[in-house]
């Protein structure tokens, strides 16, 4: 798989994952004249999250015109918040248009990568091997389903599956269905299945802040104007961006924005749920933004259907016939859907990354927490970069903005190596540690550390998922590679 005769002045790059991150990396490497790269994808096509998630109602919670590459606009988005199939089609189109097929290798699941003799030696699940000068992990953070730890899960005798692994061969019509979880995935799928099933039992651990969703379709005239007048489309995207960016002070616990947001959330709940008892069960007791803010116009109405039961007691255990709550009530069902989200930022799932001196990246993270310099580089792991790495997630804007900034930064790292004639580039531990301390200090006082339980916070109490500032600051900070932060070796 290694290209023979490849010049060492042009680094051989291996990219893991062909979702938004991996494809953006490949496209920008190609534009920079670095064409000695391969994109390894475990599945049989591109897409990442949007290939994997096919549950009914799956959609993005970031507006379409902002949830796409700045260099590859789509004037033909059908509505403000696109569904998963439309996003998947966009990813496939972008890959084809930019000729990524010549760099892609499918069915290649990385299981081991070891840095030795100045190179990365990769091993894949099917036994294939590859050698690269520079390794970029672009598998993303939200792709591994999170299964709850509930006693008796294996004893359920009928059909059970995770929302991220939807069983399309299982017909829900006329069935007694239970959905465990009420966050983003559940919010989208419950309204889609409620009228098909005989009964629907929804198990809620914590209510979420749900805001009204302006999701009108784009008219044929609007799409035509976006195609004809690029400036108009750019202004539309800019307006969306600014409206989302202005929400950032909410996460720094701005009293004004917090009060306004809570008032809007409660108004939406009051208008859609007249029953005070049900409304109380659906009212959060934590600040807006501590958990991910959700948007829906049909979730609350779905919960009030005659065939729906909302259970707010904790789950005790699962039996062969259903689910028993903490009050001792058994809810008998024949289909169990776990809408329990993903393992947060499982950046190394299923793979062993080994750096200098045999150090395993999992051990490095275990010793001091999941962290990376500029959210990208890990000391002791030369010529390595993470896309959507630690503390690069967002609670208020589009992750595509972060991906493009990271990709540009990594291209800058490769160009710095070429300019210096360096074989390796490794971030200094002192620089990385200082950066992590600064990030964790900046997170203090944020809404994410205000006390609610969320996937943003790891078992060690650290927020290793979210960026504590605006996207403007991130993009500014990532524009230039500070050579003083790295050790270059020829």
């Amino acid at each position: 798989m290694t290209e023979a005769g490849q010049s060492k002045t042009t680094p051989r790059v291996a990219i893991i994952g062909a979702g938004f991150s991996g494809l953006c990396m490949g496209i920008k490497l190609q534009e920079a004249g670095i064409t000695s790269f391969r994109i390894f994808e475990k599945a049989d096509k591109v897409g990442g999250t949007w290939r994997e998630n096919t549950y009914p109602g799956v959609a993005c919670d970031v507006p379409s015109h902002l949830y796409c590459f700045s260099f590859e606009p789509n004037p033909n988005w059908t509505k403000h918040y696109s569904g998963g199939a439309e996003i998947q089609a966009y990813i496939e189109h972008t890959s084809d248009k930019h000729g990524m097929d010549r760099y892609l290798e499918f069915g290649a699941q990385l299981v081991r990568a070891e840095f030795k003799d100045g190179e990365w030696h990769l091993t894949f699940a099917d036994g294939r091997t590859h050698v690269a000068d520079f390794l970029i992990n672009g598998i993303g953070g939200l792709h591994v389903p999170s299964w709850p730890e509930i006693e008796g899960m294996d004893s359920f005798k009928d059909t059970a599956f995770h929302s991220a692994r939807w069983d399309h061969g299982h017909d829900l019509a006329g069935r007694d269905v239970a959905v465990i979880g009420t966050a983003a995935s559940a919010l989208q799928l419950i309204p889609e299945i409620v009228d098909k099933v005989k009964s629907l039992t929804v198990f809620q651990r914590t209510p979420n802040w749900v805001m009204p969703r302006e999701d009108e379709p784009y008219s044929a005239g609007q799409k035509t104007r976006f195609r004809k007048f690029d400036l108009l489309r750019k202004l539309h995207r800019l307006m969306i961006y600014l409206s989302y960016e202005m929400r950032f002070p909410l996460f720094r616990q701005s009293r004004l924005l917090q009060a306004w947001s809570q008032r809007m959330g409660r108004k939406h709940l009051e208008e859609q749920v007249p029953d005070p008892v049900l409304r109380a069960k659906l009212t959060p007791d934590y600040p807006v933004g501590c958990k991910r803010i959700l948007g829906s116009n049909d979730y609350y109405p779905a919960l009030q259907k005659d065939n729906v039961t909302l259970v707010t007691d904790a789950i005790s255990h699962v039996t062969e016939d259903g689910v028993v709550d903490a009050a001792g009530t058994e809810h008998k069902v024949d289909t169990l859907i776990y809408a329990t989200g993903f393992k947060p930022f499982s950046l190394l799932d299923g793979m062993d990354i080994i750096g200098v001196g045999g150090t395993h990246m999992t051990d490095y993270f275990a010793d001091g927490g999941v962290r990376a310099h500029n959210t990208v580089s890990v000391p002791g792991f030369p010529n390595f970069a993470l896309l959507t790495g630690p503390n690069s997630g967002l609670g208020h804007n589009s992750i595509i903005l972060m991906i493009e900034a990271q990709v540009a930064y990594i291209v800058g790292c490769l160009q710095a190596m070429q300019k210096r004639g360096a074989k390796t580039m490794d971030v200094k531990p002192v620089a990385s540690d200082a950066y992590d301390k600064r990030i964790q200090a900046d997170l203090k006082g944020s809404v994410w550390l205000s006390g609610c339980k969320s996937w943003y916070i790891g078992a060690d109490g650290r927020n290793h998922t979210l960026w504590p500032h605006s996207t403007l600051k991130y993009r500014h900070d990532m524009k230039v590679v500070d050579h003083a932060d790295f050790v270059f070796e020829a």
Side-chain angles (χ1 to χ4, degrees):
M1 293 173 66
T2 304
E3 297 178 20
Q6 176 65 53
S7 171
K8 287 294 182 180
T9 59
T10 302
R12 300 163 297 173
V13 181
I15 303 167
I16 310 302
F20 267 109
S21 296
L23 290 174
C24 184
M25 191 74 247
I27 291 167
K28 291 303 175 180
L29 284 177
Q30 183 175 246
E31 289 181 3
I34 302 173
T35 57
S36 52
F37 68 89
R38 305 297 296 168
I39 304 175
F40 298 99
E41 169 55 53
K42 66 180 179 180
D44 60 357
K45 62 180 180 179
V46 301
T49 296
W50 303 102
R51 179 195 61 236
E52 298 293 316
N53 285 270
T54 59
Y55 60 83
V58 60
C60 187
D61 57 3
V62 174
S64 309
H65 279 272
L66 196 56
Y67 196 77
C68 59
F69 295 128
S70 62
F71 57 85
E72 188 57 46
N74 177 18
N76 300 312
W77 291 116
T78 58
K79 56 181 182 177
H80 284 263
Y81 296 91
S82 296
E86 191 172 5
I87 298 172
Q88 175 64 20
Y90 168 80
I91 297 172
E92 292 177 7
H93 161 78
T94 301
S95 178
D96 291 343
K97 179 179 176 180
H98 291 270
M100 290 298 102
D101 58 313
R102 75 191 74 168
Y103 304 106
L104 282 159
E105 291 199 27
F106 295 111
Q109 182 171 0
L110 182 68
V111 293
R112 179 185 174 90
E114 183 174 4
F115 188 79
K116 56 184 179 181
D117 301 325
E119 299 173 320
W120 282 102
H121 295 256
L122 314 182
T123 304
F124 297 87
D126 61 2
R128 278 183 282 179
T129 60
H130 185 75
V131 178
D133 299 308
F134 205 100
L135 175 61
I136 301 169
N137 185 344
I139 67 172
L142 299 176
H143 63 103
V144 180
S146 175
W147 293 85
E149 296 181 2
I150 302 174
E151 180 185 345
M153 286 172 58
D154 293 337
S155 67
F156 188 67
K157 68 180 181 181
D158 288 306
T159 302
F161 53 88
H162 196 281
S163 59
R165 299 290 183 268
W166 194 266
D167 185 352
H168 290 279
H170 182 66
D171 188 2
L172 295 179
R175 295 194 179 267
D176 296 306
V177 179
V179 173
I180 295 178
T182 55
S185 300
L187 190 88
Q188 293 176 344
L189 71 88
I190 284 172
E192 296 293 319
I193 68 173
V194 66
D195 291 329
K196 300 176 183 177
V197 304
K198 178 182 177 183
S199 69
L200 181 62
T201 305
V202 178
F203 290 88
Q204 172 188 277
R205 183 177 63 182
T206 309
N208 291 281
W209 284 105
V210 180
M211 303 297 177
R213 190 177 180 96
E214 297 179 7
D215 197 18
E216 290 75 19
Y218 287 108
S219 68
Q222 285 176 302
K223 288 185 280 188
T224 297
R225 288 190 290 273
F226 287 149
R227 285 193 298 271
K228 287 186 174 181
F229 307 106
D230 196 45
L231 178 60
L232 182 62
R233 180 199 54 76
K234 287 180 178 179
L235 287 173
H236 181 64
R237 176 183 166 102
L238 178 62
M239 287 175 61
I240 296 171
Y241 168 72
L242 292 175
S243 68
Y244 271 66
E245 193 70 355
M246 285 190 296
R247 300 192 311 175
F248 178 73
L250 170 69
F251 301 96
R252 302 308 305 182
Q253 304 220 56
S254 160
R255 291 184 179 180
L256 181 63
L257 273 181
Q258 189 63 228
W260 177 80
S261 299
Q262 289 194 27
R263 185 163 58 250
M264 184 169 66
R266 289 198 176 97
K267 183 174 184 290
H268 184 52
L269 178 59
E270 290 168 1
E271 288 177 347
Q272 291 204 319
V273 183
D275 179 6
V277 176
L278 178 59
R279 195 163 63 236
K281 292 180 179 180
L282 296 170
T283 302
D285 61 357
Y286 53 85
V288 177
C290 188
K291 292 176 180 284
R292 189 165 186 87
I293 303 170
L294 307 179
S296 176
N297 297 328
D298 50 13
Y299 175 65
Y300 288 148
L303 292 182
Q304 297 170 83
K305 299 269 186 175
D306 292 338
N307 62 336
V308 178
T309 301
L310 178 68
V311 179
T312 56
D313 290 314
I315 295 174
S316 171
H317 60 280
V318 176
T319 68
E320 64 176 18
D321 297 315
V323 182
V324 178
D325 63 33
T329 303
E330 181 175 17
H331 305 269
K332 292 192 174 183
V333 296
D334 57 40
T335 303
L336 188 51
I337 301 172
Y338 293 94
T340 46
F342 302 89
K343 292 181 181 179
F345 289 77
S346 28
L347 302 163
L348 306 176
D349 184 72
M351 64 178 71
D352 190 13
I353 309 295
I354 306 169
V356 175
T359 302
H360 296 257
M361 193 171 291
T362 50
D363 293 336
Y364 172 80
F365 285 162
D367 288 344
V370 180
R371 61 209 190 277
H373 180 64
N374 281 345
T375 75
V376 169
S377 306
V378 183
F381 297 83
N383 297 8
F384 177 85
L386 287 162
L387 289 167
T388 61
N391 293 108
S392 65
L394 293 172
H396 74 290
N397 217 317
S398 174
I399 191 65
I400 308 300
L401 302 167
M402 309 295 274
I403 290 171
E404 290 190 21
Q406 290 166 354
V407 164
Y409 180 86
I410 295 168
V411 169
C413 288
L414 289 164
Q415 290 171 335
M417 289 177 64
Q418 288 180 297
K419 185 176 181 179
R420 288 170 169 260
K423 182 179 178 65
T424 64
M425 175 182 186
D426 194 6
V427 65
K428 297 175 182 177
V430 64
S432 184
D433 290 344
Y435 181 83
D436 179 60
K437 288 177 182 177
R438 187 164 66 250
I439 289 294
Q440 293 302 314
D442 291 348
L443 282 162
K444 291 179 180 178
S446 69
V447 69
W448 306 302
L449 296 177
S450 60
C452 77
K453 185 177 181 180
S454 75
W455 59 266
Y456 298 145
I457 311 299
D460 57 2
R462 285 167 49 96
N463 183 335
H464 62 267
T465 59
L466 296 179
W467 172 246
H469 302 290
S470 67
T471 62
L472 283 170
K473 177 170 172 52
Y474 186 82
R475 293 158 73 188
H476 173 270
D477 290 353
M478 296 293 281
K479 275 190 173 182
V480 177
V481 178
D482 188 345
H483 293 198
D485 289 345
F486 295 88
V487 174
F488 294 87
E489 292 189 0

